[in-house]
Amino acid sequence: MVSEVPIVWKDRKRILGMPITFTRYSMSEDRLFLETGLLNTRQEEVLLYRVRDISLKITLGQRIFGVGSVLVQSSDKTMPVLELKNIRRPREVKETLHQQVEKMKLSRKIRVGELLDDGGHACDDNFHDGEQTDGEDWEDERL
C-alpha cells in the first residue's frame, strides 16, 4: 500500500475470519491508513497525533472467528471516526496504536488544550459567559 513509509502494523478487514475483502489497514510511525477498493481505490489517512480516543469492540460472532474492531476517534476533519473492522488480534492492535499515538503526541509536544479545542463549538450558542444571549429573559423556576 505505502511502500516508502515503514509500516508498523497492517491487516485486512476479514469476513468469517478470512481476509477476503478489499479493505486494507496499515499504520506507520505517524499515520493510520485505510485503503478500500479493487479497481477504483480510495485511500484515507489519519495523523496519529490527532487521535482523541481509541476503543475496542468484540462481539460474540467476532470472538468465534478470532477478530474484533478498534474504533479510532480523531480531530481529523475528513475522517473523524475510523473503524478498523474485523481485524486479527484487536487488543494488541489497540495497545500498539495507543503507544504510537502517545509517542507522536510527545514528539510534537501536543498540549491537552490543543486536543480539547474543537473550533469554538464546545459552548452552547445561546450562552456567553454564563448569560443568555438570545434576548429572552430567563427565570429560575425552582419550586
Side-chain angles (χ1 to χ4, degrees):
M1 179 164 119
V2 182
S3 59
E4 67 275 356
V5 179
I7 300 298
V8 175
W9 166 83
K10 67 179 181 177
D11 199 0
R12 289 179 161 221
K13 179 179 174 183
R14 296 167 181 273
I15 296 176
L16 301 176
M18 298 178 291
I20 55 176
T21 66
F22 297 104
T23 300
R24 292 173 293 283
Y25 308 108
S26 61
M27 179 174 49
S28 69
E29 291 184 359
D30 63 342
R31 291 174 283 178
L32 188 59
F33 300 97
L34 163 68
E35 184 177 340
T36 57
L38 173 63
L39 299 176
N40 296 324
T41 61
R42 187 183 95 209
Q43 295 179 347
E44 296 284 342
E45 69 180 55
V46 174
L47 295 170
L48 292 181
Y49 77 89
R50 292 181 179 244
V51 171
R52 290 184 178 201
D53 189 40
I54 306 167
S55 54
L56 178 68
K57 180 180 79 170
I58 303 175
T59 64
L60 178 61
Q62 287 174 322
R63 286 178 66 179
I64 291 170
F65 292 105
V67 297
S69 298
V70 176
L71 184 67
V72 179
Q73 296 180 354
S74 72
S75 60
D76 189 83
K77 300 292 183 197
T78 60
M79 183 165 277
V81 176
L82 171 61
E83 185 175 5
L84 307 175
K85 296 179 186 176
N86 297 334
I87 57 173
R88 286 181 300 165
R89 300 186 306 275
R91 287 182 178 88
E92 293 175 26
V93 172
K94 180 180 179 274
E95 186 58 33
T96 302
L97 181 58
H98 172 72
Q99 290 172 359
Q100 285 299 119
V101 166
E102 290 302 314
K103 187 187 299 183
M104 287 312 300
K105 287 181 181 180
L106 285 173
S107 71
R108 288 183 166 261
K109 298 180 176 125
I110 302 294
R111 294 186 326 229
V112 174
E114 292 172 357
L115 296 175
L116 296 178
D117 180 32
D118 63 348
H121 302 298
C123 298
D124 187 353
D125 292 334
N126 293 332
F127 291 88
H128 180 68
D129 295 332
E131 297 180 12
Q132 193 168 5
T133 59
D134 63 356
E136 296 179 14
D137 289 331
W138 166 130
E139 296 179 18
D140 189 7
E141 298 182 8
R142 292 184 203 162
L143 295 176

